[in-house]
DNA sequence: ACCTGAACACCGTTCAAGT
DNA sequence: ACCTGAACACCGTTCAAGT
């Protein structure tokens, strides 16, 4: 619904600016949250702001720019930092906060996926992860790999969780009407009931598996260093 | 370019069917591979087939249906099965084949992400994973969690790899013109050079970390079973 | 059954014209 | 500087009309 439904504004610059870049971003995010990512249209957003579609182009270069800016607005609001002494806790809470932010805005993942360049703020989790891993002697390629493992898992599960994959993931539903026989999926059907799936604990499980992997690398490195020391002395 | 550029076809049914559902799917996939996911348009696809846009609707319910069918066509062609004796190898090659298929069709990941329901064939990796894990005593919730870890990691890294994230992931480029200072990303800048990043080995690394996690659970379970046995006897 | 042509209700974006 | 209105080049899809 437009803000001025009855009194139509005449052309020309209004006395006080009705539009701001920030207002546009906020309203766009709100519209996205309520009506979904696909619903965001320059025309619909303009309508929502009580304004002509073209008015948006005074504050935003293009739709791509708009989406990029929303993502930046969203990610810069996340506080990734915390002062836990344990390196595992620092990494965990960092990705948990990212996850929480994305769950709070159901279209956030879809939005991120649509971007060609990630907003700069998402480098914070990377920096925090690399710093924490450095503490236990995991550096270089291995550290970056652990980071990607964490990031890809986090975003991947979010993607599943948000679009409610379990209407389509429930084998009973997904297999219905397909050429594949249900008999070929014996283990799936015998597995845990999808109705009682808990994404939160699955996420914590995933984090701990990956961080255990980091710890193993750490142990291996210190051992091989000790081995080298023993040989040289 | 249309197939009949000069001799325009008159309305009415042609003597031999020019269009098939399969032909449409194949050409759409080809067009997607060459010109990208966004380039796929009912009108452009029709043009490519030398046909009116509406002709497609005789073989395809909608654009959504078209995309779903392409995904199904693509995934059913993947051979996930192999007869390696080692459970780790069976899981690894299964996901490696999924990965190879997606890398062969650069828009495949984008296509999958756009679907509301995954094509049934992607349940094969789940079945194979659950079966292999069952062999080492990892079942139920834990097994499904391991599967999701593998699947989310695989698709997540593919997503990064395909859209060539490293123009935007290179901190030097991504941080340029942003409000975030480069000094806040000391560990990133000190980390491995993005130019020499190897996705293939990063993928193998990820798989082995996750499968190590599965092995740890297996060991923990057999130990606790042994403990229970010792206490009861 | 299978194709065309016209039409409908949308898109993002440019451009000239207003104040 | 900031908004409007008309226009352009696109979309997906429906529907009647052809054979």
């Amino acid at each position: 619904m437009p803000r001025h439904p009855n009194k139509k504004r005449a052309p020309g610059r209004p006395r006080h600016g009705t539009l701001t870049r920030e207002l546009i971003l906020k309203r766009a995010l709100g519209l996205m949250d309520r009506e979904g990512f696909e619903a965001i249209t320059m025309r619909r957003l303009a309508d929502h702001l009580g304004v002509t579609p073209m008015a948006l182009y005074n504050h935003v270069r293009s739709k791509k720019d708009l989406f990029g800016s929303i993502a930046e607005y969203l990610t810069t609001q996340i506080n990734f930092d915390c002062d836990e002494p344990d390196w595992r806790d620092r990494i965990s809470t960092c990705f948990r906060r990212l996850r929480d932010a994305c769950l709070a805005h159901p279209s956030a993942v879809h939005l991120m996926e649509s971007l060609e360049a990630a907003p700069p703020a998402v480098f914070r989790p990377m920096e925090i992860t690399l710093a924490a891993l450095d503490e236990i002697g995991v550096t270089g390629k291995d550290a970056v790999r652990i980071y990607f493992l964490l990031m890809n898992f986090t975003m991947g599960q979010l993607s599943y969780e948000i679009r409610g994959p379990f209407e389509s993931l429930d084998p009973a539903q997904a297999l219905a009407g397909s050429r594949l026989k249900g008999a070929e999926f014996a283990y799936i059907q015998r597995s845990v009931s999808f109705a009682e799936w808990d994404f939160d604990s699955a996420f914590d499980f995933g984090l701990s598996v990956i961080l255990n992997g980091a710890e193993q690398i750490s142990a291996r490195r210190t051992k091989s260093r000790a081995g080298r020391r023993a040989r040289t002395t």
Side-chain angles (χ1 to χ4, degrees), chain A:
Chain A
M1 58 208 86
R3 283 214 302 181
H4 312 293
N6 26 18
K7 44 173 163 175
K8 224 172 205 168
R9 213 184 0 261
R13 181 184 191 184
R15 288 186 300 286
H16 56 281
T18 29
L19 242 46
T20 333
R21 190 180 165 86
E22 222 203 308
L23 180 66
I24 293 176
L25 299 184
K26 275 187 179 172
R27 297 283 235 136
L29 185 57
L31 197 60
M32 234 171 65
D33 287 343
R34 284 194 310 279
E35 307 191 14
F37 181 73
E38 314 282 346
I40 290 280
T41 284
M42 296 303 271
R43 293 175 122 101
R44 276 164 64 93
L45 177 57
D47 220 57
H48 197 71
L49 285 156
V51 112
T52 280
M54 318 320 138
L56 301 175
Y57 286 88
N58 290 312
H59 304 89
V60 146
R61 204 182 308 277
S62 64
K63 201 188 181 188
K64 259 182 195 165
D65 178 37
L66 172 68
F67 281 165
S69 302
I70 298 173
E72 196 186 330
Y73 171 78
L74 207 150
T75 51
T76 48
Q77 281 187 339
I78 308 174
N79 178 21
F80 291 112
D81 302 283
C82 74
D83 48 3
E84 298 282 345
D86 185 24
W87 63 276
R88 289 181 74 118
D89 290 340
R90 283 208 305 281
I91 295 178
S92 294
T93 63
C94 162
F95 282 95
R96 216 171 276 134
R97 298 240 178 97
L98 175 61
R99 181 164 178 270
D100 289 342
C102 288
L103 287 177
H105 300 280
S107 297
V109 175
H110 204 108
L111 172 70
M112 300 286 211
E113 287 173 349
S114 79
L115 265 41
E116 17 195 73
V122 299
F123 287 109
R124 288 296 308 155
M126 186 176 189
E127 178 70 9
I128 290 168
T129 301
L130 294 182
L133 291 176
D134 188 85
E135 219 171 275
I136 58 165
V138 176
T139 58
K141 215 169 251 187
D142 281 342
V144 178
R145 284 170 175 173
I146 293 286
Y147 162 73
F148 273 116
L149 208 33
L150 288 163
M151 187 52 115
N152 287 330
F153 166 65
T154 302
M155 295 311 281
Q157 183 179 299
L158 272 169
S159 183
Y160 268 91
E161 184 169 1
I162 280 166
R163 76 186 68 186
F166 279 76
E167 305 105 47
S168 64
L169 234 179
D170 193 334
Q173 282 196 27
L175 267 46
S178 87
R179 266 171 258 117
L180 302 163
K181 301 131 203 133
E184 292 183 36
F185 297 95
Y187 284 94
I188 293 179
Q189 274 158 348
R190 219 177 303 152
S191 76
V192 70
S193 160
F194 288 111
E196 55 192 41
W197 184 255
D198 181 2
F199 277 105
D200 289 352
S201 55
F203 179 66
D204 287 340
F205 175 89
L207 286 190
S208 68
V209 165
I210 298 170
L211 295 181
N212 285 347
E215 219 155 40
Q216 272 184 21
I217 294 167
S218 168
R220 214 183 313 155
R221 285 201 179 181
T222 55
K223 206 168 63 181
S224 72
R225 244 203 310 278
R228 263 197 304 280
R229 212 172 14 243
R231 251 172 286 135
T232 46
T233 50

